[in-house]
């Protein structure tokens, strides 16, 4: 919480990170995919704070989907919300990374195939597939 009793902006980044890790690693493994096991890095975060989120016991949902896919990057979009309110809209640009060679790399065919399942490039509309 910040001094005003709101969820601090850094905490929102943690929520996004947890959703992104769940998406890129747990869901990929569940789909029997080796996508992103070679590494990836965050190149950019963009967060739009729409409403303050105050301390409460009820959980919020982080919906995640792929909003853009290029040859060597992807954008994951998010909404942090509950049934009545969207608190945050955000996006993260992720770059596949070769950890061994310490340099960016292109998306593999397997990664593209996995990501296409979650691709929804419409702006600020409910995605077809959500991760909670």
């Amino acid at each position: 919480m910040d001094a005003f009793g709101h969820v601090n902006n850094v905490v929102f980044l943690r929520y996004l990170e947890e959703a992104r890790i769940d998406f890129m690693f747990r869901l990929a493994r569940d789909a029997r995919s080796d996508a992103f096991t070679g590494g990836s890095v965050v190149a950019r975060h963009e967060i739009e704070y729409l409403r303050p989120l105050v301390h409460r016991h009820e959980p919020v949902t982080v919906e995640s989907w792929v909003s853009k896919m290029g040859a060597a990057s992807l954008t994951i979009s998010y909404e942090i919300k509950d049934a009545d309110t969207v608190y945050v809209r955000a996006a993260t640009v992720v770059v596949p990374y070769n950890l061994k060679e310490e340099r960016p790399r292109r998306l593999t065919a397997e990664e593209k195939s996995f990501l296409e399942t979650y691709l929804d490039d419409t702006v600020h509309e409910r995605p077809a597939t959500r991760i909670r």
Side-chain angles (χ1 to χ4, degrees), residues 54-129:
V54 296
H55 176 71
R56 64 193 210 175
H57 294 287
E58 301 82 29
V60 290
T61 298
V62 181
E63 293 185 350
S64 305
W65 64 96
V66 177
S67 55
K68 184 177 180 185
M69 188 170 39
S73 69
L74 65 129
T75 302
I76 300 173
S77 292
Y78 320 80
E79 286 187 343
I80 298 176
K81 62 198 283 183
D82 59 25
D84 303 316
T85 306
V86 175
Y87 298 97
V88 166
R89 284 197 178 105
T92 301
V93 175
V94 177
V95 175
Y97 197 78
N98 184 318
L99 296 171
K100 189 175 181 181
E101 296 178 13
E102 298 182 345
R103 64 181 184 86
R105 62 176 177 78
R106 294 173 101 52
L107 286 165
T108 66
E110 183 174 357
E111 288 168 339
K112 287 180 183 179
S113 177
F114 168 73
L115 293 170
E116 285 172 353
T117 305
Y118 301 96
L119 182 62
D120 184 349
D121 55 6
T122 58
V123 178
H124 299 306
E125 290 187 16
R126 297 184 69 120
T129 304

